[in-house]
Amino acid sequence: MAQVLEFKLPDLGEGLTEAEIVRWLVEVGDVVAIDQPVVEVETAKAMVEVPCPYGGVVTARFGEEGSELPVGAPLLTVAVGATDASSAAPGEDGDAAEEPSGGSGSGSGNVLVGYGTGAPAARRRRIRPERNTASAAPAAPAAPAVVSAPSRPAPVAVAVGEVNGRQGPVAVVSPLVRRLARQHEIDLRGLTGSGPDGLILRADVDSAIRQAGQATEAATRTAAEPAVAEASTAVASPSAAGAAVPAAAERIPLRGVRGAVADKLSRSRSEIPDATCWVDADATELMAARAAMNAASGPSGGPKVSVLALLARICTAALARYPELNSTVDTAAREIVRLPGVHLGFAAQTERGLVVPVVRDAHARNAESIGAEIARLTELARTGKLSPAQLTGGTFTLNNYGVFGVDGSTPIINHPEAAMLGVGRIMPKPWVHQGELAVRQVVQLSLTFDHRVCDGGTAGGFLRYVADCVEQPAVLLRTL
């Protein structure tokens, strides 16, 4: 007899607690194989295709494209082949979990946090009903997280007491859901969750917030004068702190990459006492050196080298001289932690928003190697295929905002790093060269640094060295 197994959103790593459904890769009724990708989700750090650990027929999907699900919420249900469930003794010690269909050795080949190859299916304690015996009667005695999905046209709100037959803690997995409820003064114990086993999802809290807002608005309209009643419809919900918002205003949720960027930048501004210094540099010689490199042929030739790759190599040389800027602050221990290697992040603008891929061990690479890695990571960023590991662990960031046609900026440090170098556009400008006025290729460089890790003298020395290398690339020969 076929069993219907529920596949829940696994922990995708990096401490992520939720993901947004971008695109379903299967439909209800499709036959899926073990480890076949079934849905594409977007976390705060990357786009991920999630493979299903079961093989069978998809019987239900939970969540529409564009909706968010917390880790542990059901994604879909799959009817797997015949099992030996009927042979399970109903009097066993309440453990109702079995291997997913396919027998031993048919486990998933992909490993995600929460499930993976070779491990038995998560065992689930079956609570013997004590009070709600009528609702438990149709249940099979040995069904591992089995859900009869067709009988659930939507995730049905089920009280916690009806699921486990006893009162217990609030059924909330996601810290985001708890924080959202706390911000809007929603009592979670008064909600019935629409998730599995009465799990309270973000959608449940959002619904409670809307209901509270509607009740408040209705009470306001009832108490107001008729002349004021029409205007009261434009008043924002309680979450807007009473600010007047036009009724036609568009609200865009801060989630996914945009939400992660907002959280990180806000944290940087609130925690890091940053300062910025800048300098104009004559990049004419650097541009000439790059042209000579790219024009070389034969044994001295090679892949084209970008300006960003040359600037990245200059940064690694400068950090070797000023290691204070390749550090982080341990606020709990009140210590500055100087890092042994340079993992260089670079800002990349994509259709999904700003991301910062990281070139690992940049201090051990030459300009050609750094350029090749930047090109590879940039392509992954454009296609949304960067993994969380490729977006974390940076120790210093290079921000080339000159690609937007601007000259200068005061960048926000990429927390928990200690500094970021900003590069404006390189353009012809009047410049005094060798005592005469000439038209030169000029660039503005800016350094934003954490004032806790160093003083202005160190930051100024770093920036001056970078400018010297831009103006006279031969300076780098000392460190080659």
Side-chain angles (χ1 to χ4, degrees), residues 379-406:
E379 182 58 29
L380 291 175
R382 286 173 178 163
T383 57
K385 295 181 179 178
L386 285 170
S387 68
Q390 292 168 322
L391 291 165
T392 54
T395 63
F396 184 91
T397 296
L398 176 61
N399 186 358
N400 181 21
Y401 46 74
V403 296
F404 302 119
V406 298

Side-chain angles (χ1 to χ4, degrees), residues 2 4 10 43 76 87 110 113 167 202 209 222 341 348 364 373 378 380 388 436 443 448 457 466:
V4 180
T43 69
L76 49 77
S87 63
N110 281 322
V113 180
Q167 295 297 325
R202 179 172 181 170
I209 293 171
T222 302
E373 184 67 358
T378 300
L380 291 175
E436 295 183 355
V443 62
T448 298
V466 171

Side-chain angles (χ1 to χ4, degrees), residues 430-443:
W431 189 266
V432 177
H433 177 66
Q434 296 180 352
E436 295 183 355
L437 188 64
V439 177
R440 306 287 286 181
Q441 299 292 319
V442 179
V443 62

